[in-house]
Amino acid sequence: MQGTTIMWALPFEFGRYLVKITQLIALLVLLKPLLIDNIAIKKKFYIILLLMVIFLASYNSKEQDMIIYASFITAALDVDFKQIVRAYFWTELSCLIITATLYIRKIIPSSDIFRDGTVHIRYALGIISPSDFAAHIFYLMVAYMLYRGFKIERRHWIIFLAIIILTYIVSDTRLDFALMLLAFFLLVFYDKIIRVLKRLGIPFLLSVIPGFFMAFTLFTWKFNFNPNAHVWATMNHWLSGRLGLGSLAMHRYPMNFTGNFIPQIGMGEMNYSGENYFYIDSSIIRAIMMCGIIFTAIIIMYMLYLVMRAWKFKRYDVILVLILTLISSAIDQHLWEMAYSFILFAGVANINKKNLNKSK
């Protein structure tokens, strides 16, 4: 609800109540790992310590999404990951349909915007911005692929292409369109890509994650927007100004270990009238600049653990979805928003298909 214009149609006080309700739910789900699950006291102590570190980053940055997500991750211990993906898919799809219906019936406000320099309208269908709407569709598509193990009949490929094209026509979002095409490419050539991953091996995959974080951070930090530099200006344009804004944040504010509040104007592509737009879209830059170096190190180590765990159980589909999520996180802020990203649950949930089949 917080990512839709439903919030614009309700009194401001409701938003504050919704935040409190969300926080209460996060505390309730922690009862499972701390009181219900058969976990050693020592491990429970580590869980509490880790949550305290993440809470500190959340408190300092005034971003609650990461601590909410962390609470749900700890509660996902030994839960069937396939059931988590299914629950995510149907919940997400239902909420999108409800929101779009409210938008079409004009019960909630519109957040549609014009593409700069054109008369072309970018529709968001009740989501807070067109790019966020496209991101929802991207993660829904990826969730369905993962649920089916990337084993989807060829005659159904045309449906995926139609969804990709229709989403682009409606939202006119270039980056998510490219991400959806990449996901479709992985679907079509899944078997061949898996053979390539096996040849590259786990050391290569483990080097990709910290390397990607470092490369994107250094690239953004070194980027200095110059309208006279054609190459840089073109890249910044195709990334919808994300390089320039990320670079501005890294030059304007200091890095620290435990998080830092960075005031921002606008959200995604929504701007406040009469003010200069400034919003950090990249989850990677948000992690480093807002949540701190310690939190960023935790995220990287957790992803490395997830890759090793997925490799152990031969869940190459999980690894591919993590890579897609990582690429998406370089350009959007949804890495630890459960309304979008779901793959981080795979680090603790039961992804061993053999064990699940035996238990059934």
Side-chain angles (χ1 to χ4, degrees):
M1 290 185 66
Q2 291 176 333
T4 70
T5 62
I6 294 174
M7 302 301 298
W8 300 356
L10 297 172
F12 177 74
E13 291 76 13
F14 180 82
R16 290 187 292 185
Y17 290 135
L18 186 60
V19 170
K20 298 298 182 182
I21 293 171
T22 306
Q23 293 169 346
L24 176 61
I25 293 172
L27 289 174
L28 289 175
V29 298
L30 284 176
L31 295 178
K32 176 184 178 291
L34 297 180
L35 299 180
I36 300 175
D37 289 343
N38 186 20
I39 303 176
I41 298 296
K42 186 177 180 180
K43 288 186 178 180
K44 291 182 180 181
F45 171 77
Y46 290 145
I47 290 174
I48 294 174
L49 182 62
L50 186 61
L51 289 174
M52 289 176 63
V53 173
I54 297 175
F55 175 79
L56 180 62
S58 177
Y59 179 82
N60 288 340
S61 63
K62 293 181 171 54
E63 294 273 310
Q64 74 162 359
D65 290 320
M66 69 279 285
I67 188 61
I68 301 296
Y69 203 159
S71 299
F72 274 82
I73 287 176
T74 57
L77 181 66
D78 292 332
V79 177
D80 181 356
F81 181 60
K82 190 172 185 179
Q83 301 306 316
I84 293 176
V85 176
R86 183 171 69 174
Y88 164 84
F89 178 84
W90 288 112
T91 303
E92 175 80 0
L93 182 61
S94 300
C95 290
L96 279 181
I97 292 173
I98 292 171
T99 304
T101 302
L102 294 174
Y103 162 85
I104 292 170
R105 295 179 63 86
K106 297 183 179 180
I107 297 175
I108 60 176
S110 166
S111 58
D112 305 332
I113 60 175
F114 287 94
R115 170 69 72 181
D116 292 342
T118 71
V119 295
H120 180 68
I121 301 177
R122 302 179 60 198
Y123 297 95
L125 302 187
I127 305 301
I128 203 142
S129 76
S131 62
D132 282 353
F133 168 74
H136 276 298
I137 302 301
F138 164 73
Y139 280 105
L140 266 176
M141 186 176 74
V142 171
Y144 183 78
M145 290 179 180
L146 182 61
Y147 184 79
R148 298 294 299 272
F150 281 77
K151 303 297 181 183
I152 299 174
E153 296 180 13
R154 292 186 179 183
R155 60 191 178 95
H156 293 154
W157 291 356
I158 189 67
I159 299 176
F160 278 90
L161 278 177
I163 292 173
I164 293 171
I165 294 172
L166 184 60
T167 302
Y168 179 68
I169 292 173
V170 170
S171 66
D172 191 19
T173 305
R174 294 185 298 257
L175 298 177
D176 285 287
F177 176 64
L179 282 170
M180 285 187 280
L181 288 178
L182 177 59
F184 182 74
F185 175 84
L186 296 181
L187 172 65
V188 173
F189 298 101
Y190 178 74
D191 292 332
K192 294 180 180 179
I193 292 171
I194 294 307
R195 286 197 291 269
V196 173
L197 284 182
K198 290 180 179 179
R199 290 179 182 177
L200 293 174
I202 187 67
F204 172 79
L205 289 173
L206 292 178
S207 66
V208 167
I209 293 173
F212 188 85
F213 267 83
M214 184 176 297
F216 189 83
T217 302
L218 290 175
F219 183 71
T220 305
W221 182 63
K222 288 292 185 181
F223 178 81
N224 292 299
F225 181 67
N226 181 2
N228 298 320
H230 178 72
V231 175
W232 293 105
T234 300
M235 292 181 66
N236 192 50
H237 169 73
W238 279 100
L239 290 173
S240 302
R242 286 169 169 83
L243 282 178
L245 292 172
S247 176
L248 181 62
M250 300 189 80
H251 284 85
R252 181 181 292 179
Y253 299 96
M255 294 185 190
N256 62 33
F257 284 95
T258 58
N260 180 36
F261 173 67
I262 298 180
Q264 296 170 67
I265 301 171
M267 180 178 181
E269 294 169 9
M270 306 309 296
N271 196 9
Y272 299 112
S273 177
E275 295 182 292
N276 293 325
Y277 179 85
F278 173 67
Y279 188 82
I280 306 172
D281 292 273
S282 170
S283 296
I284 295 177
I285 302 303
R286 292 180 77 85
I288 296 170
M289 298 303 301
M290 297 180 63
C291 304
I293 297 173
I294 295 176
F295 175 82
T296 305
I298 291 173
I299 284 289
I300 292 174
M301 288 188 291
Y302 182 75
M303 285 185 172
L304 293 176
Y305 171 74
L306 198 162
V307 170
M308 291 188 292
R309 195 164 183 262
W311 186 272
K312 174 184 176 182
F313 296 121
K314 299 181 180 180
R315 292 299 305 271
Y316 308 113
D317 53 344
V318 170
I319 295 175
L320 287 182
V321 173
L322 177 63
I323 293 173
L324 283 171
T325 302
L326 187 61
I327 296 173
S328 173
S329 299
I331 59 174
D332 65 39
Q333 71 276 22
H334 305 309
L335 179 58
W336 41 81
E337 295 182 17
M338 285 191 297
Y340 299 87
S341 171
F342 59 89
I343 194 61
L344 297 183
F345 288 111
V348 297
N350 194 339
I351 60 174
N352 188 351
K353 293 181 178 179
K354 293 181 180 180
N355 284 351
L356 289 174
N357 291 333
K358 287 180 181 179
S359 64
K360 291 177 182 178

